Amino acid sequence: MAGRVSGPFCCRSSSLHGGKLYPVAQCNNVYVFPGVGLGVMVSRATRVTDNMMMAASRTLASCSPLVRDGRGPLLPSINDIRQVTQAIALDVALAAQRDGVAVNIPQETLQHNISSGFWEPQYLQYKRTSF
């Protein structure tokens, strides 16, 4: 079922990974969709193409510690979410341009717009007072 969290699975068929438990991670809402949305906005894409979604998936995969280092978790650390989201946004924007659904904007401008348009949380300090 899409969107349903499940427990870890055990890979029994592979001699390389046999018997090892792998946690199932959901990456769409945390990693993929924010980057896709930002990439669409900065590129002014008129629609989202399959190639744009593949670009997002490939970029996320390239950030995987397991893919990069051969060990570690499948998904990058949540501490790296800003960098991962910005990388996904850039690759989605470039894919939109290649697919002809976005205006041609220089890569440096796209990168600047992604960085400057990225939300930075700022929390105010509140002083509790009695009523």
Side-chain angles (χ1 to χ4, degrees), residues 2 13 17-18 32 34 36 38 48 52 54-55 58 76 79 85 94 97 106-107 110-111 119 122 124:
S13 61
H17 299 289
V32 174
V36 169
L38 184 56
V48 177
M52 293 163 66
M54 286 303 298
R58 287 186 178 115
N79 295 328
T85 299
L94 294 172
Q97 289 179 354
Q107 184 169 337
L110 287 171
Q111 188 64 61
W119 179 66
Q122 297 178 350
L124 300 174

Side-chain angles (χ1 to χ4, degrees), residues 6-113:
S6 61
F9 73 94
C10 182
C11 185
R12 294 188 174 110
S13 61
S14 169
S15 61
L16 179 62
H17 299 289
K20 185 172 181 181
L21 284 177
Y22 291 93
V24 176
Q26 289 197 353
C27 62
N28 56 346
N29 293 330
V30 175
Y31 292 99
V32 174
F33 290 150
V36 169
L38 184 56
V40 167
M41 287 180 8
V42 300
S43 70
R44 301 182 202 141
T46 56
R47 64 187 182 95
V48 177
T49 66
D50 289 343
N51 289 329
M52 293 163 66
M53 295 305 293
M54 286 303 298
S57 297
R58 287 186 178 115
T59 304
L60 178 58
S62 73
C63 297
S64 165
L66 184 61
V67 171
R68 251 191 358 252
D69 307 328
R71 59 183 166 72
L74 178 62
L75 294 176
S77 168
I78 196 70
N79 295 328
D80 298 330
I81 188 75
R82 294 177 62 79
Q83 295 84 0
V84 172
T85 299
Q86 290 182 25
I88 290 172
L90 179 61
D91 288 345
V92 165
L94 294 172
Q97 289 179 354
R98 285 191 300 273
D99 284 351
V101 297
V103 296
N104 282 327
I105 299 171
Q107 184 169 337
E108 298 78 26
T109 303
L110 287 171
Q111 188 64 61
H112 170 76
N113 292 346

